[in-house]
Amino acid sequence: MKPKDILLALLVVALWGGNFVVIRVGLDSFPPLLLAALRFVPVALLAPFLPRPDMSWTRLVSLGLAWFVAQFSLLFLGMAVGMPPGLASVVLQFQAFITIAVAALVLGEKPGMRQAAGSLVALAGLGLIGMTAGAGGVTLAGFLLILGAAMFWSVGNILMRGAKKVDMLGLIAWLSLIPPLPLLGLSWAFEGQERIAQALTHLNFSGVGAVLYLTVFATIIGYGGWGKLLNTYPAGTVAPFSLLIPVFGAVCAKLAMGETFGPRRMAGMALILAGLAVVALPGFKKGAPKPAKQ
């Protein structure tokens, strides 16, 4: 990769890692479902100016419901009821292993030895983190909700299988047309008119700044930059950079919010990252690099 593209990849994963701290800040100003809806409204305004992705409306709507409505509503709810941002950034990456399992069950894609080994290592790490629920700001409900978000991320990954290659920013803009109404409806039903009105009539700098970051930096710049990289290099070259997302997430949470990780959580996080590395990083055969399967 060219140096400028390496810097772009690092910028994108840093923005996505910091995204979890920003969500935590935004949740102090907005209820979770409303915040999730607000994230996508400005991005949806880009859709008329970008070509619609070459995929059926059924796949597009299903992808929007899985990736954006279900994943982000569960992620924001999980962080609201008890999952610190640094830990959330690591647990959410378990989506990679759920994707392997779902692909095996639904698509008949038999996992290889590396995928199976990496999944077992990561599962052990997830178990260690789950055992710490009830301490240090982590609740069982928050832990399970983040796992639910990871599951729907994996469902979206499966829906993307078989889809034609598309411009990532255009895809995200068109997908962003789908979540605002369902999420606003859920917010109205479960968070209530009064909480919504209170949040929207008492805007503050941190709340507005969080929405702008989630919209401009995490979504438009993040997905736009990632799409550019995927259009320039093989997926096997770009994908391993995503391993740095939970690293940036944990570091940002430590620096910005003073989040601490006990020995058991550190061990669990390390095992999940090790499992991701086994699955995602290129393997070697006869001394020559071999791209990871996608």
Side-chain angles (χ1 to χ4, degrees):
M1 293 179 69
K2 296 179 180 178
K4 67 175 184 178
D5 291 327
I6 294 175
L7 291 176
L8 176 60
L10 292 174
L11 172 63
V12 170
V13 296
L15 291 175
W16 283 344
N19 176 61
F20 292 88
V21 169
V22 175
I23 292 171
R24 179 59 267 171
V25 172
L27 289 171
D28 292 333
S29 301
F30 301 99
L33 294 173
L34 178 61
L35 179 61
L38 293 176
R39 170 178 184 151
F40 296 108
V41 172
V43 185
L45 298 177
L46 295 176
F49 304 99
L50 296 169
R52 186 172 77 83
D54 186 13
M55 64 175 61
S56 68
W57 278 107
T58 300
R59 188 186 293 268
L60 192 68
V61 171
S62 299
L63 192 56
L65 291 174
W67 257 358
F68 287 176
V69 177
Q71 181 196 167
F72 283 99
S73 61
L74 293 175
L75 171 62
F76 286 26
L77 284 168
M79 292 184 65
V81 302
M83 180 60 82
L87 202 55
S89 70
V90 177
V91 173
L92 189 63
Q93 299 307 313
F94 202 72
Q95 58 82 21
F97 308 103
I98 300 176
T99 300
I100 293 171
V102 174
L105 292 173
V106 177
L107 303 178
E109 296 182 0
K110 185 178 179 180
M113 289 297 296
R114 287 183 59 184
Q115 290 179 318
S119 297
L120 288 175
V121 170
L123 185 61
L126 189 70
L128 282 177
I129 292 174
M131 291 170 63
T132 68
V138 177
T139 65
L140 181 59
F143 179 72
L144 293 176
L145 284 167
I146 300 298
L147 279 182
M151 183 189 72
F152 279 104
W153 185 351
S154 72
V155 170
N157 291 342
I158 298 301
L159 287 170
M160 279 298 292
R161 298 289 183 90
K164 296 179 180 179
K165 189 174 182 180
V166 296
D167 173 71
M168 184 62 72
L169 182 58
L171 174 63
I172 296 304
W174 279 85
L175 288 177
S176 295
L177 292 170
I178 298 163
L181 287 180
L183 288 172
L184 286 172
L186 289 170
S187 179
W188 187 281
F190 294 102
E191 294 168 344
Q193 180 180 354
E194 290 186 8
R195 286 187 71 188
I196 294 173
Q198 173 73 15
L200 295 179
T201 56
H202 292 76
L203 298 175
N204 53 55
F205 178 79
S206 61
V208 173
V211 172
L212 289 176
Y213 183 100
L214 294 175
T215 299
V216 177
F217 293 98
T219 305
I220 296 175
I221 295 177
Y223 282 105
W226 196 252
K228 179 181 181 298
L229 292 170
L230 288 174
N231 287 331
T232 306
Y233 301 97
T237 300
V238 179
F241 280 95
S242 65
L243 296 175
L244 295 174
I245 295 173
V247 175
F248 279 110
V251 170
C252 288
K254 172 68 176 178
L255 295 177
M257 313 195 88
E259 184 176 339
T260 57
F261 309 97
R264 187 172 290 177
R265 287 183 188 168
M266 286 292 291
M269 292 165 65
L271 286 173
I272 290 177
L273 290 176
L276 281 169
V278 169
V279 171
L281 291 179
F284 294 88
K285 184 177 182 181
K286 295 182 180 180
K290 178 181 178 182
K293 292 182 179 179
Q294 298 301 310

